Amino acid sequence: MKAAFITEPGPADSIKFGELPMPEPTGSQVLVQVAAVAVNPIDTYIRSGAIAMPLPQPYIVGCDLAGTVESVGPDARRFAPGTRVWGSNQGLLGRQGTFAEFAAVDEQWLYATPDDVSDPSAAAGALVGITAHLGLVRDAALQSGETLFVNGGTGGVGSAVVQMAKALGARVVTTAGSDDKLAACVELGADLAINYKTDDVASRVREFAPNGIDVWWETLREPDFDRTVELLATGGRMILMAGRDARPEFPVGPFYIKDCRLFGFAMFNASPDQQRTAAEDINRWLAGGQYRPRIDGVLPLAETAAAHQLQEDNTIHGAGTLAGKIVLTP
Ligand SMILES: NC(=O)c1ccc[n+]([C@@H]2O[C@H](COP(=O)([O-])OP(=O)(O)OC[C@H]3O[C@@H](n4cnc5c(N)ncnc54)[C@H](OP(=O)(O)O)[C@@H]3O)[C@@H](O)[C@H]2O)c1
């Protein structure tokens, strides 16, 4: 089968595209014929070696996938051949990745794809959707009528957070770096979108939520906690999930005096049951149109190296040329 893989960590152009043996599904694994995959920033950190993880040799890159069950291992019970499925959390913690024509994935990480949802859409919404759901529902327990702020409303995570927060009944304020992206945020359902390059974000947020923000979802790798804590409501919750090297100052007094709470998480630590709970709501919202994963572009799988470069240019170097997910098809 054709696959995008590395033999050792390195820059984007160290990704090779070529023939590897077809995987055999063992135990409770399911062999998926992959129809679409999506790039996440963590794919680039693992490929570059910035995050050290045990890697199969060779290592097929990628976490997300959508496709059709080809065959099942002897202990797999959940899916029959021919069922359309999507999933995430592959290529992590020693597991093989998904950027190939076929992937053997344990059934505990797969979910049936709703009939009217395309494979590119299911793949694009996978890791970012589960991430958004874990933070909003499991951790922050966002309630209908509350206010939510998220930076980067057209970003991979940001666009999922905007849509799911609206599905949960919140008032949503987000930011973006261009007029086109501001319009896209409003299309996704944001009640207010602020240009973080030209507007005074703090004063616009104060106008929008005079009593403060109930849930502040921080996607920035270098957050400004003095500003954020000042803008939080009494009883506000803050979610941190980016910037593993960040060591910013934290205003302890202003934080605890308002009964605020802080959550940090990495989606790959969530158990299969926690991820499945997220996936069940995601499937409902995908089928009902409340969650339309935002796709920036679709490339052939052979272009994986270029896709990694594009993701890295944006997430790490702030190029601003991406507005959603990069999807690839074998
Ligand atoms: N902990 C976890 O489980 C987890 C899961 C997924 C992702 N992450 C991490 O979360 C981060 C975001 O991931 P992603 O997939 O959403 O990346 P992404 O698609 O590259 O999105 C980044 C977003 O940040 C926005 N942005 C950049 N600079 C900004 C600024 N100064 N002010 C406001 N917004 C700004 C960009 O907006 P413009 O395009 O408008 O400039 C863009 O929307 C990454 O660091 C990733 O590694 C963590």
Side-chain angles (χ1 to χ4, degrees):
M1 67 171 185
K2 290 267 193 283
F5 62 92
I6 56 169
T7 47
E8 59 183 334
D13 64 10
S14 61
I15 298 174
K16 302 178 176 72
F17 183 70
E19 289 286 336
L20 288 183
M22 280 267 287
E24 284 280 326
T26 59
S28 53
Q29 283 183 333
V30 164
L31 184 68
V32 180
Q33 180 169 20
V34 177
V37 294
V39 185
N40 289 285
I42 195 166
D43 302 6
T44 70
Y45 313 152
I46 294 173
R47 184 262 305 144
S48 72
I51 296 182
M53 287 214 182
L55 301 180
Q57 187 61 258
Y59 170 67
I60 298 172
V61 298
C63 304
D64 290 341
L65 82 166
T68 302
V69 174
E70 174 80 6
S71 61
V72 302
D75 305 325
R77 298 282 176 269
R78 287 181 193 265
F79 303 104
T83 309
R84 292 176 62 234
V85 291
W86 64 273
S88 183
N89 216 23
Q90 303 310 297
L92 294 160
L93 307 173
R95 291 188 285 275
Q96 190 55 282
T98 57
F99 278 43
E101 288 178 302
F102 291 89
V105 178
D106 194 289
E107 63 178 4
Q108 67 186 340
W109 304 116
L110 292 171
Y111 322 104
T113 307
D115 284 344
D116 293 337
V117 176
S118 71
D119 291 317
S121 191
L127 184 143
V128 292
I130 292 172
T131 300
H133 194 280
L134 289 169
L136 293 175
V137 176
R138 181 194 65 177
D139 293 345
L142 179 69
Q143 301 298 307
S144 180
E146 288 193 317
T147 55
L148 172 128
F149 174 95
V150 60
N151 263 318
T154 60
V157 173
S159 58
V161 169
V162 166
Q163 295 178 75
M164 290 190 194
K166 288 310 295 177
L168 291 164
R171 292 175 65 231
V172 173
V173 53
T174 188
T175 63
S178 72
D179 288 344
D180 286 353
K181 289 182 181 177
L182 293 177
C185 293
V186 172
E187 266 172 44
L188 291 173
D191 298 285
L192 175 65
I194 306 169
N195 189 322
Y196 71 81
K197 290 187 176 157
T198 57
D199 283 356
D200 179 345
V201 173
S203 65
R204 299 286 308 277
V205 170
R206 270 187 224 106
E207 280 166 27
F208 177 82
N211 296 325
I213 293 289
D214 297 306
V215 175
W216 185 286
W217 185 300
E218 191 51 85
T219 54
L220 297 187
R221 294 150 59 84
E222 286 289 346
D224 176 348
F225 287 131
D226 280 315
R227 183 186 77 161
T228 305
V229 171
E230 189 236 304
L231 294 171
L232 275 176
T234 299
R237 289 88 79 201
M238 181 163 41
I239 295 175
L240 302 181
M241 36 67 76
R244 47 176 75 203
D245 299 323
R247 300 288 184 277
E249 289 190 14
F250 192 86
V252 173
F255 183 80
Y256 83 78
I257 212 73
K258 285 204 287 193
D259 293 354
C260 291
R261 279 168 290 161
L262 180 59
F263 297 91
F265 75 98
M267 85 62 93
F268 57 74
N269 292 327
S271 69
D273 282 350
Q274 288 174 326
Q275 300 211 14
R276 181 168 299 281
T277 300
E280 283 165 4
D281 273 346
I282 289 170
N283 268 350
R284 206 158 39 77
W285 291 332
L286 283 169
Q290 294 100 323
Y291 181 35
R292 294 199 171 92
R294 190 176 162 81
I295 296 175
D296 181 87
V298 181
L299 295 172
L301 192 63
E303 305 274 325
T304 299
H308 268 228
Q309 191 61 56
L310 178 59
Q311 186 73 56
E312 204 167 82
D313 288 348
N314 278 271
T315 311
I316 309 288
H317 305 300
T321 54
L322 199 57
K325 304 296 293 177
I326 310 166
V327 168
L328 299 98
T329 53

